[in-house]
Amino acid sequence: MPDLAHEVVDHRFKALPPDAEGLTVGELAAQRRNLFTGGFTTPVLALSAESVAHNLRLLERYAERHGLAFAPHGKTSMAPQLFDRQLAHGAWGITAAVPHQARVYRAHGVGRIFLANELVDPVALRWLAAELDADPGFRFVCYVDSVRGVELMDEALTAAGARRPVDVVVELGAGDGARTGARTEADCTAVADAVAATRTLRLVGVAGYEGEVPRADGERVRAWLRRLVALAADFDKAGRFAPEAGEIVVSAGGSAWFDAVAEVFAEIPDLSLPVLKLLRSGAYVSHDDGHYRTLTPFNRVPEEGALEPAFRLWAQVVSRPTSEQAFANAGKRDAAHDLHLPEAQVVRDARTGEVRPAEGVTVTGLSDQHAWLRTEEGADLEVGDWVGMGLSHPCTSFDKWQLIPLVEADGTVVDYIRTFF
């Protein structure tokens, strides 16, 4: 397993102090530099140490309270250090979407992977077969959603000489016009029959993604989840699941409807084997100040707790051409912008170091390397000030930065989170 603390700091990593060149990440972290006075350049993305710790604890408690296993989607952060912390906080494993992600997980020692996609690439299947054969303790589960996909998997695994069968779950599509998945129960049955006809695959459950339910609301999402549960019960009654697996996997759960998943999965009847109720929400680890702030199920169940946005992008005002306009030096290369523009939250005064609310300051657009700021009359902002911005969509925020300072509330940088996109 790579030791990320021994990676050398250099020009590859945005915003890190120039005088840290040649230090290892571990050595730089040990210096506990201050984000504002320790030589960092702008723009710089910071991840709140306290908020990450809070969010990890909150989802651990939530999963325990509702009897759910948890395989958070690693594509959100692609950060093995965060995977380690998620696993330490009770996660069953880590979810992936594509073979590259699974390879990153394995390189960093993840022992259980749920791949929420049908895997038909013969090169990737050859790699998977070798991983499974080399490590009897490695658990891997992926979707199947078509008879043709099953045929391709079987051909590739047979050609690879795979000795262990690959565990698969039939994906039930979320409805007409949704994303992947077999559209009807009859289609799911045909896929299950195709799996049963192979020696390289083993059916262990059913799964899907409720976030793709067309015109999703609580009623429609719960109705689809009940179809998924009924499919599991019907397959079990028909003896379709491999008894040697020791459990039946029923999996769903993005970051917007996991309360509905918890509610409906609590209704799963007794089956012939224990049921692994596997939730896959991933955005919780950092949360955000936009998309997921609006969509989080904790808005509907506030008694369960509240996630905290952990990202803040700091940029410096580099131009103040008029009293109504300013420009900061962070743009599309630095800030998530696929769902919402950044939100100006605080200003750090370049003269005094005082941090104050960004009253009257609004981000109105992004160029490649500039944030366009509209300033209302009386807005206190001048060249040199740092503007702290909240971001929307954690996945896009993480993938723009390879090494992200983990920062305590007083500005002390205690670690650096390495990403692998």
Side-chain angles (χ1 to χ4, degrees), residues 194-238:
V195 171
T198 75
R199 288 186 294 180
T200 58
L201 303 176
R202 184 171 73 166
L203 186 64
V204 299
V206 298
Y209 176 45
E210 76 292 337
E212 282 291 313
V213 170
R215 303 180 306 283
D217 60 19
E219 182 178 350
R220 291 186 178 93
V221 166
R222 286 173 177 82
W224 177 83
L225 286 164
R226 290 191 174 102
R227 283 182 61 199
L228 184 68
V229 168
L231 182 66
D234 289 347
F235 276 13
D236 185 52
K237 185 176 180 180

Side-chain angles (χ1 to χ4, degrees), residues 45-355:
L45 182 66
L47 194 59
S48 164
E50 292 88 353
S51 294
V52 167
H54 167 83
N55 295 341
L56 289 167
R57 290 192 300 268
L58 181 63
L59 259 291
E60 178 183 24
R61 291 194 297 265
Y62 184 88
E64 288 177 348
R65 191 179 305 125
H66 293 280
L68 299 169
F70 194 30
H73 211 316
K75 58 93 176 172
T76 297
S77 71
M78 287 305 294
Q81 292 148 287
L82 295 180
F83 300 163
D84 286 346
R85 294 182 64 176
Q86 289 170 313
L87 293 166
H89 279 271
W92 170 91
I94 305 293
T95 295
V98 293
H100 161 72
Q101 293 167 359
R103 288 185 63 204
V104 171
Y105 301 179
R106 289 298 289 161
H108 291 89
V110 175
R112 291 175 178 158
I113 297 174
F114 185 99
L115 196 144
N117 242 334
E118 189 167 66
L119 182 60
V120 296
D121 183 329
V123 175
L125 287 162
R126 184 164 60 246
W127 169 83
L128 174 62
E131 286 290 306
L132 288 167
D133 290 346
D135 182 359
F138 174 36
R139 180 82 194 277
F140 178 90
V141 182
C142 74
Y143 283 176
V144 285
D145 81 346
S146 65
V147 171
R148 176 58 177 156
V150 169
E151 292 172 350
L152 290 170
M153 293 180 74
D154 183 45
E155 290 171 7
L157 291 167
T158 299
R163 295 192 296 272
R164 285 178 62 189
V166 171
D167 286 348
V168 296
V169 292
V170 173
E171 182 193 5
L172 174 66
D176 291 338
R179 202 164 60 189
T180 57
R183 289 297 190 255
T184 69
E185 281 75 3
D187 292 338
C188 290
T189 298
V191 175
D193 286 343
V195 171
T198 75
R199 288 186 294 180
T200 58
L201 303 176
R202 184 171 73 166
L203 186 64
V204 299
V206 298
Y209 176 45
E210 76 292 337
E212 282 291 313
V213 170
R215 303 180 306 283
D217 60 19
E219 182 178 350
R220 291 186 178 93
V221 166
R222 286 173 177 82
W224 177 83
L225 286 164
R226 290 191 174 102
R227 283 182 61 199
L228 184 68
V229 168
L231 182 66
D234 289 347
F235 276 13
D236 185 52
K237 185 176 180 180
R240 294 186 179 279
F241 297 127
E244 64 273 16
E247 64 186 6
I248 295 168
V249 178
V250 182
S251 179
S255 294
W257 291 103
F258 55 72
D259 58 330
V261 174
E263 177 186 323
V264 175
F265 278 14
E267 303 169 1
I268 294 177
D270 289 338
L271 301 181
S272 63
L273 295 169
V275 178
L276 183 73
K277 303 173 184 179
L278 194 62
L279 187 68
R280 305 192 307 270
S281 315
Y284 78 98
V285 69
S286 67
H287 197 44
D288 75 359
D289 279 297
H291 184 69
Y292 288 105
R293 178 177 62 189
T294 302
L295 292 181
T296 176
F298 288 117
N299 291 338
R300 295 186 290 271
V301 286
E303 68 277 8
E304 298 264 19
L307 293 167
E308 297 178 358
F311 275 127
R312 179 163 283 169
L313 178 65
W314 289 95
Q316 195 167 31
V317 177
V318 293
S319 181
R320 188 77 160 99
T322 73
S323 60
E324 295 84 26
Q325 197 173 39
F327 292 87
N329 64 346
K332 294 178 181 178
R333 305 294 184 183
D334 314 296
H337 59 90
D338 53 322
L339 296 179
H340 302 100
L341 289 171
E343 174 185 283
Q345 295 178 328
V346 294
V347 174
R348 187 176 189 276
D349 192 289
R351 299 179 187 274
T352 67
E354 173 197 5
V355 176

